[in-house]
Amino acid sequence: ASWSAATHRARRSRSTPWPQRSTRVSRSSRTGTPCRSHPTASADARPAGRASAGRASVGAASVSGAGANGAAGRARVGRAAVPVSPAGPGGPDDPDGPGGSGGSGGRRGRRGGESDPAALKRAKKRKRMNLVIAAFAVLIMLTGGGVVGVTYYSTNVVLPDEIPLPVGTTILASNNRDVIVKLGEEARSIVPLDKIPKFVQHAVAAAEDRKFYKHKGVDYLGIARAAWNNFTGGTKQGASTITQQYARNAYENLNDDSYQRKVKEAILASKLNDEFSKDEIMQHYLNTIYFGRGAYGIEMAAQTYFGLPAEKLNVAQAAVLAGVIKQPVNDPQTGVKGFDPADNLELAKDRWTYVINGMVEEKWISPAERPTEYPKVKERKDASASSGVKTPKGNVVNYVRAEMAEMKLCHDGPIPAGSTKPNCQAALVTDGYRIKTSINLKMQDAAEKAAQQEKSSSPLNGQPKNLQAALVSIEPASGQVLAYYGGNDGTGIDYAGKNILGGELVGGHPPGSSFKVYTLAAAIDAGISIESHWDSLPFTPDGIKGQIGNAGAKSTDCKKWCTLEHSTVKSYNVPFYHVSEEIGPGRIVNMAKQAGISTMWTTPAKGPSEPVDLAKKKFENDTKEPFFHVVAFGQYPITVLDHATGLATLANRGKYNKPHFIITIEQQDKQTGAWKKIGGEQLKPSQRIKPEVADEVTSVLKKIPGANSRSLESGRSAAGKTGTWQYGLTDDNAHAWMVGYTPQLATAVWVGSDDPRKPRIRKTGGGTVSGSGLPGEIWQQYMNDALKGYDKKPLPDSKGIGDPKRGDGVPPPPPPACPAPVNGVCPPQNQNPPPTFPTNPDGPTIPDLPGGPDDGPGRPDDGRGGGGGGGGVAMLPATTTGQRD
């Protein structure tokens, strides 16, 4: 398959939607909608610090006469009441609100400013204004009380326990501590009231509503002031009670600053006050309110400002957080700074003092308990929930989503009619999961250092920009994916897995000779010994125009008498073609399927390649559709993840474990804050390949890393195989591989091009990229780093199983008799020495093979690695075909 460069660039530059990607490990296709990151602007950049999240129906009764415009509306959770506050810590025009006396934190009293004539004049003016407001409030209550009363009893209010607070998802590394990805529109962690110290609750009351524990939930004077300002066109008003603030933050249609909103707010606040205790209202308020820095709720605020859980806060720290609530961010319209100490430390300290004073005045702390020093606050760091998705680790999200669907926790795509389970994508953003994954941070870092071109430690650093690597590493004993690198951006193309581009499932790369590991296993399983002999000389099969050869070599060191083991180490293609003729390509495909290859792509001479779900198709031993004998040396594309899975099965002596990322998944109760385990890994190992067959394969493959200068450090034994794939009728390659394993770790590495306009892969200076070259360097570097601290374990030797007489090999003629012995010894005869070839030569190309388009001539690989077979390329133009070693 191919895609235009413009489409490719557009997909890689998107900031919001992720490309549709199929990541189901055991299936070849999926039509569900992929997880998307839903990034939003930083919460600190939002006007007035508000952010919507979560909805609930308030009821159908209209608040007629109060301007409700019909239904009381939907709930909106997570807004902070953030009036513009040019007058200082107490808020503007608010001397007598529930925040206590003195809108500027009591500073007037300390300065004694009321004793001068001008101040007395201002005080008299305020008194007159208060009388006017009070009179207006009486009028409101007399004329509107009936309407309000009827509305109170007729409105079906959705109460806090029924309002779904959006809670983001945290995806953790295998240590269950380090965060690799966070998802969600609001960074929030629910915490019950018994985990919030009493002085934290009191600090918030001192800042926002000092009479919270005494009033009935409504500030009628505040309603009157809002009405007066609505009538006169004055400034916006705050100074609501905590219950009113919660009502305004919880219900979507209470987001303006008007008399109408105040009336509706009072109705809801009054009903909330009747239905809930003060402690319950405080709990919901503290888990809802916005504290700035992208933090919603007291728990996330405590973590963001102080690096502590809420239950570990002290009085001084609690006062800082309480003081922030009134205006957590700078007002972008007026330029007034908020109470975050990072924006204006002096203003924040004034607000802090105001809160502490209130706590003392209300006797919530004694004078002796009063803190004297402003606490140290962490440097500002945005706690916004979505993070890590546009990094290499972001690729993990799609696998997590797919595994959740397999656990039947959600639907990976449209929700079927009648189902009560959510869409996985939406659930990850709002339903509050904590997911422990298999990703080992040490190994993940090693993978990125080796495979990410931007890293100075990577063998790709300094190479042409179009070179792209992918690396997957799996623990054979469990199937846990320990490291995964499919590209730099989790919202872009995943070069290690499956993607849906233009509605087509793509993602595979021709494995070349690295696929011979499965052909070898199939041959041994069919009773063929690695000591069997095969003809390695180039030939033209019946019905095929092109010649099957070995990297263009007209001869080999063993000619028509090559053992299967020697042919594997040297990576000769011709013997493997003959093996497929002997046992049938179906047996080879079935062996790959048993090892863990889930999808292979066809490579027709005409038309697009098609993915084949191996789990849904049965392959007989003599099957030739849709895969032909060239399957023996890797013509048909597979994914890096599948290849790593197959190697892990061989490393585990033929026992298959399904590759997976989720270890445990927990969900937080949005009311209690408690975490409950709802799913996790379920290991179901299956002996798919006979242990003796897997061991015999390993006995051959362990000779290859050393032959290609890719041995591991300290004499650690490792099995491996290289592979390359030629680009069209050229001497260049389009794909190169190095795969291999130890008993503890199986890793597959691919290097290709991420630019469809430049599909050839060349090194700086023009050198060809081959299997044991850049991929081999990446594999070797990663394995050495990842396995540090692991015991060195031996790999098995050959047990000599199978029939050594199988094969089409022709033994060389016996040497001629010695015509004239000298002292009983035959002198050397005049014979031409046999030709020698470098390790792992490439194979020739195959014109007009039934399974693939024309290929160009092959050539020796100069010891750079193996591969073989022609075929289409799933994510590059169809002309990038060819046979290599």
Side-chain angles (χ1 to χ4, degrees):
S2 64
W3 70 95
S4 68
T7 301
H8 182 261
R9 289 194 300 272
R11 287 190 178 276
R12 289 176 68 83
S13 65
R14 286 180 184 169
S15 61
T16 302
W18 294 14
Q20 285 184 301
R21 182 178 306 161
S22 174
T23 53
R24 192 182 302 274
V25 174
S26 63
R27 301 178 65 86
S28 67
S29 64
R30 182 163 69 252
T31 59
T33 303
C35 180
R36 298 176 188 270
S37 60
H38 295 285
T40 60
S42 169
D44 284 353
R46 295 168 182 156
R50 297 180 177 179
S52 67
R55 293 171 181 266
S57 173
V58 176
S62 69
V63 191
S64 58
N69 297 321
R74 298 173 181 170
R76 179 173 293 182
V77 181
R79 290 201 188 92
V82 190
V84 179
S85 305
D93 304 321
D94 188 18
D96 299 311
S101 61
S104 58
R107 288 182 291 174
R108 288 192 184 94
R110 292 196 303 272
R111 292 197 298 262
E114 301 294 349
S115 62
D116 61 86
L120 292 173
K121 185 176 180 180
R122 290 193 298 272
K124 290 179 181 180
K125 185 176 180 180
R126 286 197 302 273
K127 185 175 182 181
R128 288 195 299 270
M129 181 61 71
N130 287 339
L131 290 173
V132 172
I133 292 173
F136 194 71
V138 171
L139 178 63
I140 291 171
M141 287 183 278
L142 289 175
T143 60
V147 172
V148 171
V150 171
T151 303
Y152 177 92
Y153 288 107
S154 63
T155 299
N156 178 26
V157 177
V158 176
L159 299 172
D161 282 337
E162 300 169 329
I163 298 175
L165 283 176
V167 181
T169 290
T170 302
I171 299 178
L172 302 166
S174 59
N175 60 15
N176 210 28
R177 181 182 66 252
D178 292 304
V179 176
I180 57 176
V181 177
K182 294 175 72 176
L183 299 169
E185 294 177 341
E186 296 183 4
R188 176 186 282 107
S189 181
I190 305 298
V191 59
L193 200 65
D194 60 9
K195 296 293 185 181
I196 305 174
K198 203 69 177 178
F199 59 76
V200 175
Q201 303 169 45
H202 290 156
V204 171
E208 295 297 311
D209 184 0
R210 294 183 184 178
K211 305 305 179 187
F212 169 71
Y213 295 101
K214 300 175 183 177
H215 59 58
K216 298 297 183 181
V218 180
D219 174 21
Y220 290 103
L221 190 58
I223 297 174
R225 279 197 303 272
W228 175 258
N229 278 273
N230 188 58
F231 177 74
T232 62
T235 58
K236 296 179 181 179
Q237 296 299 302
S240 298
T241 67
I242 281 177
T243 311
Q244 285 177 265
Q245 285 187 49
Y246 176 75
R248 181 164 66 250
N249 294 327
Y251 299 100
E252 186 177 59
N253 62 333
L254 300 181
N255 57 4
D256 62 331
D257 291 278
S258 67
Y259 159 65
Q260 295 175 351
R261 185 265 290 170
K262 281 287 186 180
V263 172
K264 290 184 286 185
E265 180 184 288
I267 294 169
L268 294 171
S270 181
K271 194 148 192 173
L272 288 170
N273 191 79
D274 289 347
E275 296 286 343
F276 283 80
S277 69
K278 292 293 184 180
D279 282 349
E280 288 172 314
I281 292 172
M282 178 63 79
Q283 173 177 307
H284 291 298
Y285 177 81
L286 287 175
N287 281 310
T288 301
I289 208 72
Y290 182 59
F291 287 85
R293 301 192 180 189
Y296 289 83
I298 188 67
E299 179 70 12
M300 191 60 66
Q303 296 283 359
T304 302
Y305 282 83
F306 297 107
L308 298 169
E311 62 181 337
K312 298 294 184 181
L313 292 170
N314 58 37
V315 173
Q317 293 166 336
V320 171
L321 296 179
V324 165
I325 293 173
K326 194 163 193 70
Q327 186 162 323
V329 300
N330 298 332
D331 191 294
Q333 296 177 338
T334 66
V336 174
K337 293 185 179 297
F339 296 122
D340 187 327
D343 293 324
N344 190 322
L345 183 58
E346 182 180 356
L347 189 65
K349 287 183 176 180
D350 282 345
R351 183 71 175 164
W352 180 77
T353 301
Y354 167 73
V355 174
I356 297 296
N357 286 343
M359 296 179 74
V360 174
E361 290 170 10
E362 295 295 329
K363 296 183 172 51
W364 287 327
I365 60 172
S366 67
E369 294 172 315
R370 180 190 185 107
T372 58
E373 293 186 9
Y374 190 84
K376 183 179 180 180
V377 177
K378 293 179 67 176
E379 291 185 7
R380 177 154 48 204
K381 185 177 181 181
D382 195 348
S384 295
S386 291
S387 62
V389 293
K390 294 184 71 63
T391 70
K393 299 177 183 67
N395 283 302
V396 171
V397 176
N398 286 300
Y399 291 97
V400 165
R401 190 193 75 250
E403 289 178 28
M404 288 176 63
E406 290 175 356
M407 295 176 190
K408 302 188 184 305
L409 299 176
C410 52
H411 297 286
D412 194 12
I415 300 175
S419 176
T420 59
K421 294 175 183 176
N423 170 269
C424 295
Q425 171 185 324
L428 282 169
V429 173
T430 63
D431 287 359
Y433 299 101
R434 184 167 62 192
I435 301 171
K436 176 184 175 181
T437 70
S438 57
I439 295 297
N440 180 305
L441 271 190
K442 169 195 165 186
M443 295 185 182
Q444 181 67 28
D445 289 344
E448 293 178 21
K449 288 178 180 178
Q452 191 173 11
Q453 190 179 63
E454 292 75 13
K455 302 285 188 182
S456 60
S457 55
S458 172
L460 292 183
N461 188 257
Q463 298 294 338
K465 294 298 182 183
N466 70 307
L467 292 190
Q468 173 70 52
L471 182 155
V472 178
S473 197
I474 295 175
E475 182 179 67
S478 66
Q480 293 181 5
V481 181
L482 304 181
Y484 190 96
Y485 178 78
N488 294 340
D489 184 351
T491 67
I493 293 173
D494 180 1
Y495 292 94
K498 299 169 186 173
N499 304 263
I500 296 177
L501 296 178
E504 299 293 330
L505 183 70
V506 299
H509 315 290
S513 276
S514 68
F515 197 83
K516 289 175 182 174
V517 298
Y518 310 116
T519 308
L520 179 62
I524 295 170
D525 186 67
I528 298 174
S529 168
I530 62 173
E531 295 301 323
S532 60
H533 291 83
W534 302 84
D535 185 352
S536 69
L537 296 182
F539 79 109
T540 301
D542 293 339
I544 293 179
K545 296 179 182 179
Q547 187 183 68
I548 304 296
N550 305 289
K554 297 185 181 300
S555 184
T556 59
D557 58 350
C558 48
K559 296 183 175 59
K560 292 189 175 186
W561 192 245
C562 298
T563 66
L564 187 56
E565 178 183 46
H566 185 75
S567 298
T568 304
V569 175
K570 288 286 188 177
S571 204
Y572 295 150
N573 293 321
V574 175
F576 279 85
Y577 191 95
H578 291 314
V579 167
S580 182
E581 289 181 313
E582 171 81 8
I583 65 176
R587 190 187 289 270
I588 298 171
V589 176
N590 273 328
M591 179 58 68
K593 171 182 172 180
Q594 293 304 310
I597 306 300
S598 66
T599 306
M600 292 174 64
W601 278 262
T602 63
T603 58
K606 296 181 180 180
S609 63
E610 296 288 340
V612 178
D613 185 345
L614 302 189
K616 293 182 178 180
K617 187 174 177 63
K618 185 176 181 180
F619 298 92
E620 303 296 336
N621 292 345
D622 59 350
T623 296
K624 294 184 179 180
E625 286 285 355
F627 306 115
F628 297 83
H629 295 309
V630 288
V631 71
F633 40 71
Q635 171 166 315
Y636 304 103
I638 61 176
T639 67
V640 182
L641 174 62
D642 275 1
H643 214 351
T645 302
L647 273 291
T649 301
L650 292 173
N652 199 33
R653 304 192 66 223
K655 188 171 289 186
Y656 167 85
N657 281 291
K658 185 176 182 179
H660 60 280
F661 289 78
I662 293 179
I663 304 302
T664 59
I665 179 168
E666 301 173 285
Q667 188 172 23
Q668 188 175 33
D669 186 297
K670 294 182 179 181
Q671 302 305 322
T672 67
W675 289 95
K676 179 182 178 181
K677 182 179 177 181
I678 60 173
E681 68 175 344
Q682 294 182 341
L683 301 182
K684 296 179 180 179
S686 173
Q687 191 73 50
R688 292 190 175 185
I689 301 173
K690 298 173 186 176
E692 61 272 21
V693 170
D695 287 351
E696 198 74 356
V697 171
T698 300
S699 74
V700 176
L701 299 185
K702 72 177 184 178
K703 299 180 180 180
I704 292 176
N708 287 275
S709 302
R710 294 298 168 214
S711 297
L712 300 185
E713 292 177 346
S714 305
R716 186 187 297 274
S717 296
K721 189 71 187 77
T722 58
T724 53
W725 194 257
Q726 187 176 355
Y727 174 69
L729 304 177
T730 72
D731 289 339
D732 291 312
N733 291 326
H735 305 269
W737 296 73
M738 175 79 185
V739 302
Y741 54 87
T742 68
Q744 303 103 320
L745 197 62
T747 303
V749 175
W750 164 87
V751 172
S753 174
D754 66 358
D755 187 347
R757 300 166 303 178
K758 299 178 180 179
R760 306 170 192 238
I761 52 174
R762 295 175 176 172
K763 294 186 291 186
T764 298
T768 300
V769 177
S770 57
S772 63
L774 291 175
E777 288 184 65
I778 293 171
W779 182 86
Q780 183 182 46
Q781 176 181 315
Y782 166 77
M783 292 290 280
N784 282 332
D785 289 344
L787 288 167
K788 286 179 179 176
Y790 282 76
D791 293 337
K792 286 186 265 185
K793 293 187 175 182
L795 294 174
D797 295 324
S798 171
K799 300 297 189 297
I801 63 175
D803 184 358
K805 297 180 180 180
R806 295 277 292 272
D808 65 345
V810 178
C818 183
V822 177
N823 297 325
V825 178
C826 187
Q829 305 298 307
N830 292 327
Q831 298 178 356
N832 293 324
T836 59
F837 297 92
T839 301
N840 285 0
D842 290 329
T845 55
I846 310 170
D848 297 331
L849 282 176
D854 292 350
D855 299 313
R859 56 168 177 70
D861 191 40
D862 300 326
R864 291 189 300 270
V873 181
M875 289 168 46
L876 286 172
T879 54
T880 57
T881 59
Q883 179 185 358
R884 194 53 87 195
D885 92 289

